[in-house]
Amino acid sequence: MSKLIISSAIRGAHAIVDRVEGKLNAALEKYGYDKEVKLPNTGYYLPVIYGMSGFKVEKLGDMPHVIKMCRDLLPEVPAENAWLPYLGPGLDAGMATCFAYDLEEAMKYLDDPCPYLPMKEDPEDTDTDIWLGAADDIILRKRGVEFVDGSAPGFAAIVGAAKDVETAVAIAKELQEKSIYVFMAGANDKGVSFAEQLKEAGVQLGWNTRLVPFGKDTSAAIHALGFATRAALTFGGIKPGDFSGNLMYNKNRVFAFVLALDTVDDEKYAAAAGAINWGFPTIADTDIPEVLPTGICTYEHVVSNIPQEEIVTKAIEVRGLKIQITKIDIPGSYGPAFEGERIKKDAMHVELGGPKSMGFEFAYSKPLDQVEDGKFTVIGPDLDDVEAGGLLPVGIWIELAGRKFQEDFEPILERQCHHLLNGAEGVLHIGQRDIVWMRISKKAYESGFRLKHFGTILHAKMHNEFGAIVDKVQVTVFTNQADVEKHLAVARKTWSERDNRLADMIDETTDTYYSCTLCQSFAPTHVCVVTPERPGLCGAYNWLDCRASYEINPTGPNQPIPKGDVIDERLGQWKGVDAFVGPASGNAFEAFSAYSIMESPMTSCGCFEAIVSCLFGANAIMVVDRDYTGETPCGMPFSTLAGTVGGGLQTPGFVGISKFYIGSKKFVSAEGGIKRLAWLPKALKEQLKDMIDKRGEEIGVPDLYSKIATEENATTEEEVIAFMSEVGHPALEMPPLM
Ligand code: SF4
Ligand code: ZN
């Protein structure tokens, strides 16, 4: 906290504790030490005090002990310009405030009549009484579970009042739409409260509408913290008195924040400092000193000067709240069932991109404040502007932002467009990057589908599926040739940078590799060790993908492997990798070579794009991919080979690989690499031509391509040997394979 806030909070806390002590002394005088005190229908006593300290307040006579606890927590009021380097004193003052508020609110139940409505979920409509006070345990169980199962992402504790009734309604609506509970307490310095503003506008208040008015005093805000504390005790299995467990549970599980509307005085500073203990930041519309460095809260502690119109968005951003959008708001249906749908020419309203035009999609990230979440724009003709059966160029421009977003995630999210857009009924999507080809059906058009709905889909799905990294999604669709060309040029530049980023990385200079154990579901001992120069054998996971996947899902199938000391540079063996592979393979294997087909080669599951096999007679290797079904020189077609090699085994002489790996410098480099490659299916060879030419240059065999046989030259090992001598294959000169 900034120095200023800390002093204000400490000053405020002293005033509050003094006031509550005064009230307590009066109450003791009036009712005596044995007078029972309790909140309605709860087993948690005064919940903040009980949750944090384990101390049970059951009688008025128990309260002086709590006042003593407050005094012990309270730091001295700092001198005017005192140097306060730590948050600690402010947090302690905040906790003292919370204990004192717990007492103060409990004492209200001694009053006759009680200032709170008899405990129920909804305030009566009939009079001005709207305040509900503390929730009982029935409400806690019913509502608290929503925080646990995710149907309520969190709560906003609103203190003070909006600038007018309309703004209050708008703020409440926005929070309601996001399923966030609104807990209301306190009033502004003119005695106006947010809850009363809503009441005036005829908004229905109560737990059922998630708009919960606790009380008009700022002290009633303690019922929000009491609710959070009890939720940790009830649902988190946290023991009373385990304050750090309780606070951590709330910080990590209950996404709450405080909206301080209008003036913030010392008392409200003290309350805000209290909430920071739970990891709940305060967002204010007034100019109070900001507390930006992160620490206790997941993000900033206090953010000020946010206009009321933007305060909800800002709060969600600061607290890192993840919003789930359950319904994809487009005409027609959405779901995986529509992914395989085809749209024939006569059924389509429009074709976008494809071979007769130009189509691309591009996702990249920007700073949080430069992306407007949920903004969808169409620039150029929309579906109404084309005749049925028409054609448009298309550029789908996706701007992403997120606290935890990293540039490396961009291609992963961009690759999602295909399955995300395909999920809409009447939308066909093929390709990626600059080979996008789409069709929209007449039926979809007639039901109201327009280009902006691409935005709706991408926004909703990216929030849902990548909420851990994506906070904001903005989508622009271009359909003018000139715009498409202009933006495509920008995208192409980024794509080549992305390709080079991994191309520039080498295993030697990378300390951390990644595992992939996704395939253990059917090959229980299989582990892919993914290095910058060796992607997973399925071709779907390169090193950057694994790293991103780990960031998105830290307990998922891609785990970092610190490679540790080198055991054997040539074979590609490291201590860290072996230490990982043992347990990860269920102790089926002790060592893994990243670069060898002969000594402890990596295991193969079943989804390899291709298989490398040794041709010992030829002193060479061959590669066969899935698409080639004919006989191969090793004596087995792909299908038989796959049965031999797969299933999570190490099979020296054979290894499953991704096609991309063939172009890597580390491609079976322990046995001499691509220089040994003597046979490929023709189609695969053509597909890999650029790669082979490049590698040929690098190893000093520029005509390597022409020296590799295909099924047109050879289908037996003898024929391969004959071909090799004919062309002078470099493997003939290499040391023996075994
Ligand atoms: Fe992961 Fe692919 Fe390896 Fe399976 S084959 S474990 S999906 S990298
Ligand atoms: Zn697999």
Side-chain angles (χ1 to χ4, degrees):
M1 282 182 277
S2 86
K3 198 165 74 181
L4 225 144
I5 296 200
I6 297 182
S7 339
S8 305
I10 295 174
R11 248 195 334 265
H14 274 276
I16 292 161
V17 174
D18 289 348
R19 177 181 76 219
V20 173
E21 187 171 30
K23 284 189 183 176
L24 172 59
N25 290 336
L28 284 169
E29 199 142 298
K30 185 166 169 196
Y31 299 108
Y33 279 69
D34 286 334
K35 173 78 178 172
E36 187 184 37
V37 274
K38 57 175 191 184
L39 299 178
N41 301 322
T42 176
Y44 296 102
Y45 309 95
L46 306 195
V48 172
I49 295 165
Y50 182 60
M52 293 302 123
S53 72
F55 185 72
K56 301 172 182 171
V57 176
E58 294 170 282
K59 309 185 303 280
L60 267 186
D62 296 325
M63 287 193 176
H65 176 71
V66 179
I67 294 288
K68 175 154 188 316
M69 284 160 49
C70 293
R71 295 275 175 222
D72 289 345
L73 278 168
L74 272 182
E76 296 281 319
V77 179
E80 203 58 22
N81 281 310
W83 167 238
L84 291 171
Y86 306 115
L87 264 177
L91 292 176
D92 288 348
M95 192 54 85
T97 301
C98 292
F99 285 3
Y101 275 168
D102 230 6
L103 300 181
E104 190 169 29
E105 284 292 308
M107 285 190 282
K108 287 186 182 163
Y109 289 87
L110 299 172
D111 294 345
D112 191 29
C114 174
Y116 295 130
L117 291 167
M119 199 56 244
K120 51 176 77 155
E121 287 204 57
D122 284 298
E124 254 133 6
D125 254 347
T126 46
D127 49 30
T128 52
D129 279 347
I130 55 170
W131 305 109
L132 293 170
D136 66 13
D137 285 355
I138 298 164
I139 294 176
L140 170 75
R141 279 190 283 273
K142 186 159 148 203
R143 305 291 169 176
V145 74
E146 298 177 355
F147 292 95
V148 179
D149 71 15
S151 47
F155 68 78
I158 297 187
V159 188
K163 61 185 178 194
D164 49 44
V165 170
E166 292 70 45
T167 311
V169 173
I171 290 174
K173 276 242 145 53
E174 198 178 343
L175 289 163
Q176 272 180 310
E177 276 166 15
K178 299 190 158 70
S179 313
I180 296 170
Y181 275 87
V182 182
F183 292 163
M184 294 166 273
N188 68 6
D189 53 353
K190 288 149 225 97
V192 183
S193 74
F194 191 85
E196 288 164 329
Q197 289 178 314
L198 295 183
K199 168 92 181 167
E200 190 185 327
V203 174
Q204 199 195 338
L205 300 173
W207 283 93
N208 284 331
T209 57
R210 300 196 173 189
L211 301 173
V212 184
F214 281 135
K216 198 166 177 177
D217 298 324
T218 305
S219 56
I222 200 63
H223 298 310
L225 295 177
F227 184 85
T229 303
R230 287 194 287 162
L233 296 173
T234 312
F235 302 105
I238 307 291
K239 297 274 166 297
D242 176 8
F243 64 92
S244 64
N246 200 305
L247 300 176
M248 284 309 289
Y249 180 89
N250 274 291
K251 178 188 164 188
N252 296 328
R253 297 290 292 276
V254 180
F255 286 96
F257 48 87
V258 179
L259 296 184
L261 304 180
D262 216 333
T263 27
V264 177
D265 54 20
D266 284 357
E267 174 155 355
K268 283 181 185 151
Y269 277 121
I276 290 171
N277 276 290
W278 274 257
F280 305 157
T282 292
I283 325 298
D285 62 332
T286 53
D287 186 16
I288 63 176
E290 298 211 333
V291 182
L292 298 177
T294 63
I296 306 293
C297 295
T298 314
Y299 306 119
E300 291 93 341
H301 302 117
V302 176
V303 178
S304 64
N305 254 331
I306 307 299
Q308 293 192 352
E309 290 74 21
E310 294 163 26
I311 204 160
V312 173
T313 313
K314 185 69 188 178
I316 285 168
E317 185 185 315
V318 168
R319 185 59 178 95
L321 200 69
K322 299 302 177 188
I323 305 296
Q324 284 275 326
I325 299 154
T326 38
K327 159 127 182 52
I328 311 290
D329 192 15
I330 55 167
S333 306
Y334 185 91
F338 303 102
E339 280 183 34
E341 177 195 27
R342 292 277 163 251
I343 297 164
K344 297 227 179 71
K345 252 200 154 101
D346 49 356
M348 83 184 184
H349 176 75
V350 70
E351 182 160 282
L352 302 162
K356 291 191 228 103
S357 182
M358 189 179 245
F360 81 94
E361 65 208 4
F362 177 63
Y364 73 117
S365 58
K366 293 172 93 174
L368 272 168
D369 59 354
Q370 288 173 33
V371 178
E372 192 179 318
D373 188 43
K375 183 175 173 193
F376 316 131
T377 320
V378 177
I379 297 177
D382 203 330
L383 304 193
D384 304 296
D385 306 314
V386 289
E387 298 286 319
L391 177 68
L392 285 174
V394 72
I396 303 175
W397 193 257
I398 304 156
E399 290 162 300
L400 304 164
R403 292 263 172 183
K404 294 197 179 154
F405 204 90
Q406 297 175 13
E407 237 180 308
D408 297 335
F409 303 160
E410 292 171 349
I412 294 180
L413 289 236
E414 189 179 288
R415 243 180 279 154
Q416 299 300 316
C417 287
H418 172 67
H419 102 260
L420 299 185
L421 293 175
N422 244 342
E425 187 179 11
V427 175
L428 169 76
H429 180 288
I430 298 170
Q432 16 68 34
R433 286 196 173 175
D434 57 357
I435 53 168
V436 169
W437 183 2
M438 300 184 74
R439 282 178 175 177
I440 293 168
S441 73
K442 283 180 182 154
K443 196 167 153 262
Y445 169 72
E446 278 151 21
S447 71
F449 194 94
R450 296 296 178 269
L451 293 177
K452 68 161 193 267
H453 292 117
F454 290 168
T456 314
I457 295 166
L458 294 170
H459 172 257
K461 295 300 286 179
M462 285 188 174
H463 270 291
N464 287 358
E465 293 185 11
F466 298 93
I469 50 164
V470 174
D471 293 330
K472 293 182 173 186
V473 183
Q474 180 179 333
V475 179
T476 310
V477 179
F478 298 104
T479 54
N480 279 320
Q481 185 71 22
D483 284 322
V484 172
E485 279 173 22
K486 191 174 113 201
H487 287 86
L488 178 55
V490 177
R492 282 202 171 120
K493 203 166 152 275
T494 308
W495 289 328
S496 77
E497 282 164 14
R498 283 179 195 168
D499 292 341
N500 291 336
R501 214 181 302 158
L502 186 60
D504 286 347
M505 292 192 59
I506 57 170
D507 290 357
E508 284 82 349
T509 55
T510 308
D511 293 333
T512 305
Y513 299 153
Y514 287 88
S515 64
C516 187
T517 49
L518 212 60
C519 288
Q520 287 194 345
S521 54
F522 62 89
T525 55
H526 174 69
V527 183
C528 274
V529 173
V530 180
T531 77
E533 293 181 271
R534 180 170 180 167
L537 52 83
C538 58
Y541 285 84
N542 68 29
W543 184 87
L544 284 176
D545 297 325
C546 290
R547 190 177 75 164
S549 148
Y550 168 68
E551 302 271 346
I552 297 166
N553 179 11
T555 55
N558 303 108
Q559 293 296 315
I561 307 177
K563 74 178 187 194
D565 293 338
V566 178
I567 299 172
D568 189 314
E569 183 122 36
R570 183 183 67 92
L571 295 173
Q573 291 188 349
W574 302 270
K575 284 194 177 144
V577 172
D578 287 356
F580 183 91
V581 164
S585 66
N587 294 314
F589 308 106
E590 286 174 354
F592 253 26
S593 304
Y595 311 143
S596 176
I597 190 174
M598 293 305 301
E599 289 181 52
S600 310
M602 282 200 205
T603 52
S604 302
C605 45
C607 21
F608 26 70
E609 285 187 301
I611 296 171
V612 192
S613 163
C614 289
L615 299 172
F616 293 106
N619 200 33
I621 56 171
M622 57 155 274
V623 176
V624 58
D625 66 323
R626 255 167 216 286
D627 293 339
Y628 177 78
T629 50
E631 286 303 320
T632 78
C634 78
M636 287 180 269
F638 181 87
S639 53
T640 314
L641 259 181
T644 313
V645 176
L649 304 173
Q650 271 179 342
T651 323
F654 303 90
V655 70
I657 58 159
S658 71
K659 293 184 203 171
F660 185 86
Y661 178 52
I662 300 168
S664 162
K665 287 184 179 153
K666 300 297 192 308
F667 170 63
V668 292
S669 55
E671 283 80 30
I674 200 165
K675 210 172 175 179
R676 273 205 202 266
L677 184 57
W679 190 91
L680 283 174
K682 182 165 179 269
L684 179 61
K685 185 179 163 188
E686 283 168 2
Q687 209 182 319
L688 300 177
K689 179 158 195 315
D690 291 349
M691 238 183 208
I692 296 170
D693 284 343
K694 182 167 170 275
R695 290 291 298 129
E697 291 283 344
E698 285 167 359
I699 60 168
V701 189
D703 57 348
L704 180 66
Y705 187 80
S706 65
K707 294 187 168 165
I708 299 171
T710 72
E711 68 273 22
E712 289 183 342
N713 315 108
T715 49
T716 64
E717 191 160 357
E718 289 67 39
E719 288 168 2
V720 173
I721 296 169
F723 182 84
M724 286 169 74
S725 6
E726 199 179 303
V727 296
H729 194 282
L732 295 172
E733 313 280 297
M734 292 171 80
L737 258 179
M738 292 208 293

